Amino acid sequence: MTQAYKDALLAAVRRRPRSFGLPFSLWTLQRLVDYLAEQTGIRVSDETVRRAAEARGYCAQPAPNIRSAVRTRIMR
């Protein structure tokens, strides 16, 4: 992972995806991996991005399972 990639990672996580013109409001590890691959030409695993982000003081949190929440609402 190059210093330029690390800089791009920090620049991304410090802003909302929509500020880059992306069609979503929150970063996921996979979205970061895809975005950074487009921006830098370097593709790494989501685990590599997670560790790099955590080394810089950012942490990934598990997202709630939205499909089951929606399914629960529909079934009620």
Side-chain angles (χ1 to χ4, degrees):
M1 182 180 293
T2 65
Q3 186 60 46
Y5 187 95
K6 293 173 187 175
D7 293 343
L9 170 62
L10 280 178
V13 298
R14 288 178 175 158
R15 294 177 55 188
R16 296 277 185 175
R18 289 197 190 274
S19 71
F20 294 108
L22 300 170
F24 43 86
S25 299
L26 298 174
W27 289 115
T28 63
L29 286 174
Q30 191 57 56
R31 287 173 178 170
L32 271 172
V33 167
D34 293 341
Y35 174 77
L36 292 169
E38 288 178 17
Q39 298 301 306
T40 67
I42 300 169
R43 181 164 290 277
V44 298
S45 71
D46 58 344
E47 182 63 16
T48 299
V49 169
R50 185 192 64 75
R51 283 182 296 192
E54 284 183 356
R56 285 151 189 80
Y58 293 89
C59 66
Q61 298 176 345
N65 185 338
I66 293 170
R67 287 186 183 168
S68 42
V70 170
R71 201 171 295 129
T72 301
R73 281 191 213 133
I74 292 171
M75 293 171 67
R76 285 187 180 166

